[in-house]
Amino acid sequence: MTTPAYRDARGGDAAAVAALARRTFTDTFGHLYAPADLALFLDRHTADAWAAEISDPAYAVRLVEADGAIVAYAKLGPPSLPFTPEHGAVELRQLYVLSAFHGGGVAQALMDWTIATARARGAAALYLSVFIDNHRARRFYARYGFEEVGPYTFMVGTHEDEDIVMRLAL
């Protein structure tokens, strides 16, 4: 396995990022959902949707490549959570790493990039949501200083999950 390389996403990456988004979500959470609910959720991760976000300056997407394939990504964008954040807040929309790359510093590098990018954009705060039972991710975010704000209902198809909204003052 080669050393991971980091770069910003480009329009031509959309199909590969969409496939990775579907794979990492399914690998991490797929066992929790009925196949129909999972399929409804995954249908949102299209190459066209990713291409639109990659080309939109309101978003920033960082990729990690190893052995010629994208193995992780982080997506920063405008707040989408159902609450009113302070002016200038941004949201870490997604941060996913293939399990073969867990524990190797990839998630830390992506989080460092996310925080630095949010600060460079002048954001006052960085928000994210995390599945309530994803204790590993919650500990990871807490190490960076994120604090719990409150619950959030995250829909996977017609299935309601409880997520926790977390905030980091920048």
Side-chain angles (χ1 to χ4, degrees), residues 17-151:
V17 178
L20 179 63
R22 290 188 300 270
R23 178 179 171 190
T24 54
F25 187 86
T26 301
D27 288 353
T28 306
F29 302 112
H31 66 282
L32 299 173
Y33 307 109
D37 285 325
L38 183 60
L40 278 172
F41 178 80
L42 296 176
D43 282 348
R44 299 183 340 198
H45 290 284
T46 66
D48 288 344
W50 274 98
E53 289 178 343
I54 289 169
S55 68
D56 184 338
Y59 290 84
V61 180
R62 189 74 167 169
L63 305 178
V64 183
E65 293 179 315
D67 298 323
I70 299 170
V71 299
Y73 70 95
K75 178 171 65 172
L76 185 67
S80 66
L81 298 167
F83 63 95
T84 306
E86 62 266 39
H87 178 72
V90 294
E91 180 182 336
L92 173 57
R93 297 281 189 94
Q94 296 160 344
L95 191 160
Y96 281 100
V97 179
L98 286 176
S99 61
F101 292 86
H102 287 184
V106 170
Q108 292 85 348
L110 287 173
M111 182 55 77
D112 291 344
W113 169 87
T114 299
I115 292 169
T117 301
R119 285 184 173 139
R121 289 178 172 214
L126 177 60
Y127 285 83
L128 59 84
S129 72
V130 59
F131 181 51
I132 194 165
D133 289 330
N134 190 343
H135 302 291
R136 178 183 177 146
R138 289 174 67 186
R139 285 189 305 272
F140 174 77
Y141 297 132
R143 285 195 305 271
Y144 277 88
F146 281 86
E147 297 177 342
E148 293 186 6
V149 174

Side-chain angles (χ1 to χ4, degrees), residues 142-166:
R143 285 195 305 271
Y144 277 88
F146 281 86
E147 297 177 342
E148 293 186 6
V149 174
Y152 161 60
T153 300
F154 182 81
M155 298 300 297
V156 177
T158 61
H159 180 94
E160 290 184 7
D161 271 335
E162 185 176 351
D163 274 20
I164 299 293
V165 173
M166 299 183 82

